């Protein structure tokens, strides 16, 4: 479905661009007999498909952003569960294949959202420590059902 949307957007934009170029040529061609009809026709046939193509591209972009957000969120919660609330930027970046700075920004936002603290491990590495509360006792040991 996504491929069909991409192809449709490309065709609509190409078609629209072609007719917009016809309108532009009408503006530039001072010697054309019926300039106004050339310009109006090019605009009338060029604007609707161009707008439709841009609308499709916008939808594709929003779907991709939502998919990325959902993937990052799921990976974040899975790593928190595995690490019992402790998570490093490096581990998150490796699992999500994000650049280090993007991974740090994501974790900083989540730290503010969930009230995480920072701590230092034995080797001097900094990690986020997220408070899991009751989740610790019920789910990390495998005694409870997952939420």
């Amino acid at each position: 479905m996504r491929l069909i949307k991409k192809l449709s957007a490309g065709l609509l934009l190409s078609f629209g661009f072609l007719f917009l170029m016809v309108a532009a040529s009408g503006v530039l061609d001072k010697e054309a007999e019926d300039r106004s009809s050339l310009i109006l026709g090019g605009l009338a046939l060029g604007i609707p498909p161009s707008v439709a193509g841009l609308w499709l591209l916008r939808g594709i972009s929003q779907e991709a952003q939502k998919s990325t957000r959902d993937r990052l969120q799921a990976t974040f919660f899975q790593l928190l569960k595995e690490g019992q609330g402790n998570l490093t930027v490096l581990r998150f970046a490796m699992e999500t294949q994000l650049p280090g700075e993007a991974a740090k920004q994501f974790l900083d936002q989540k730290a503010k959202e969930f009230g995480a603290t920072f701590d230092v491990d034995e080797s001097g590495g900094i990690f986020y420590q997220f408070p899991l509360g009751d989740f610790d006792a019920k789910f990390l040991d495998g005694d409870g059902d997952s939420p």
Side-chain angles (χ1 to χ4, degrees), residues 72-84 87 91 95 140:
L72 291 176
Q73 188 90 342
T75 303
F76 170 71
F77 287 128
Q78 181 63 36
L79 291 174
L80 279 186
K81 184 178 175 184
E82 290 173 8
Q84 299 180 350
L87 184 57
R91 173 83 194 274
E95 291 291 330
L140 293 178

Side-chain angles (χ1 to χ4, degrees), residues 118-133:
F118 302 93
D119 210 347
V120 180
D121 62 12
E122 303 84 37
S123 62
I126 298 173
F127 63 93
Y128 293 83
Q129 194 169 29
F130 289 86
L132 297 181

Side-chain angles (χ1 to χ4, degrees), residues 53-105:
L54 290 172
W55 180 75
L56 280 173
L57 283 179
R58 182 177 171 265
I60 292 168
S61 174
Q62 287 177 339
E63 286 175 11
Q65 288 174 352
K66 183 183 181 320
S67 174
T68 299
R69 255 191 331 266
D70 292 348
R71 180 182 60 84
L72 291 176
Q73 188 90 342
T75 303
F76 170 71
F77 287 128
Q78 181 63 36
L79 291 174
L80 279 186
K81 184 178 175 184
E82 290 173 8
Q84 299 180 350
N86 299 324
L87 184 57
T88 64
V89 174
L90 179 60
R91 173 83 194 274
F92 186 71
M94 287 172 51
E95 291 291 330
T96 59
Q97 297 181 352
L98 284 176
E101 187 60 35
K104 184 176 179 347
Q105 287 176 353

